[in-house]
Amino acid sequence: MSIDHHPSEERLLDYVSGGLGESWSLAVATHLALCPKCRNTVARLEAMGGGMMDAAEPATLADNSFDALWARLESEEDEADSMPAIAGHAGKIDLPEPLRSYVGGSVDALPWQNMGLGVRQLLIPTADQSTARLLCVAAGRPVPEHTHRGEEVTLVLQGAFRDSTGIYAAGDFQEADETVLHQPHAEKDRDCICLAVTDAPLKFRNLAFRLVQPFIGI
Ligand SMILES: [Zn+2]
């Protein structure tokens, strides 16, 4: 699996420091299950955090500035690329952990809610105020064009989608906010299944879609 889009450095740092809510942690942790590069980064951040906690001298803490930390991480990134991925997605997909613990392992057995327009969703209960859901967009179909009142992250689990910012395939992690107006299209060859986390309802351009929004829970 070739993964081109990763969580931001800030988000990985928040993940390591325990600063992310459950929904966002679920998305990051599931990406980590698929991405050896980010697993490697997180492992080194955790080691670095432990080292900083152990440092008794204030001078030692100053030496470990985050600029220096990221310079060091970036210089070591090449070796991470050679690590094997945990899950392969050539045929029928098995959902990776920790997502699997929330919804079960088999995509075919999921109790999808049909939203019309070729889109199905499955809401995932989490303890924080954000919303986590699986989305399945039929091959070749668009998701209605929308912006965000807050943040949205999308982790592709099967198939691929494209929008004005690029192509996202299995394992890719997209981060969007209120400045991004996008209309993702599932690629033609396969239904696209994603884990999406939002901290506020999406804002659709289409008035009809906005009217039914409260009833379908997107
Ligand atoms: Zn990654």
Side-chain angles (χ1 to χ4, degrees):
M1 185 189 311
S2 161
I3 299 177
D4 295 326
H5 304 275
H6 304 270
S8 66
E9 295 169 346
E10 290 83 353
R11 200 177 303 277
L12 289 180
L13 201 52
D14 283 346
Y15 174 79
V16 168
S17 65
L20 290 183
E22 184 182 359
S23 300
W24 309 89
S25 289
L26 172 63
V28 171
T30 305
H31 173 79
L32 291 176
L34 303 170
C35 181
K37 180 178 173 181
C38 288
R39 278 205 300 280
N40 203 336
T41 302
V42 162
R44 277 179 281 130
L45 275 174
E46 285 172 341
M48 199 68 99
M52 289 172 76
M53 291 293 282
D54 292 341
E57 297 293 324
T60 311
L61 283 173
D63 289 341
N64 284 327
S65 74
F66 284 114
D67 285 347
L69 169 64
W70 285 118
R72 185 170 145 187
L73 291 177
E74 280 168 9
S75 73
E76 293 175 12
E77 261 176 11
D78 287 347
E79 68 191 61
D81 289 337
S82 60
M83 291 174 64
I86 285 179
H89 282 212
K92 196 166 155 183
I93 71 161
D94 290 322
L95 295 175
E97 291 289 3
L99 179 61
R100 178 197 297 261
S101 300
Y102 283 76
V103 299
S106 170
V107 168
D108 293 339
L110 296 177
W112 291 106
Q113 175 190 7
N114 197 341
M115 301 167 62
L117 304 173
V119 180
R120 292 180 291 163
Q121 76 162 353
L122 176 66
L123 292 170
I124 302 171
T126 51
D128 58 3
Q129 296 299 309
S130 304
T131 300
R133 62 167 64 86
L134 285 179
L135 280 175
C136 180
V137 182
R141 297 295 294 270
V143 172
E145 190 175 39
H146 60 278
T147 55
H148 308 269
R149 294 184 176 90
E151 268 193 298
E152 178 186 54
V153 303
T154 306
L155 171 65
V156 181
L157 300 162
Q158 171 191 290
F161 72 84
R162 77 169 67 214
D163 65 14
S164 57
T165 67
I167 298 177
Y168 298 81
D172 279 331
F173 191 99
Q174 185 187 47
E175 301 181 311
D177 63 21
E178 61 275 5
T179 64
V180 178
L181 171 69
H182 65 163
Q183 183 163 31
H185 273 74
E187 293 285 83
K188 288 193 178 70
D189 52 335
R190 197 171 192 194
D191 291 354
C192 181
I193 297 177
C194 301
L195 170 64
V197 177
T198 46
D199 62 5
L202 304 182
K203 190 173 172 184
F204 291 97
R205 246 188 172 181
N206 182 300
L207 286 175
F209 213 85
R210 262 193 240 172
L211 276 174
V212 299
Q213 205 171 359
F215 304 101
I216 58 179
I218 195 170

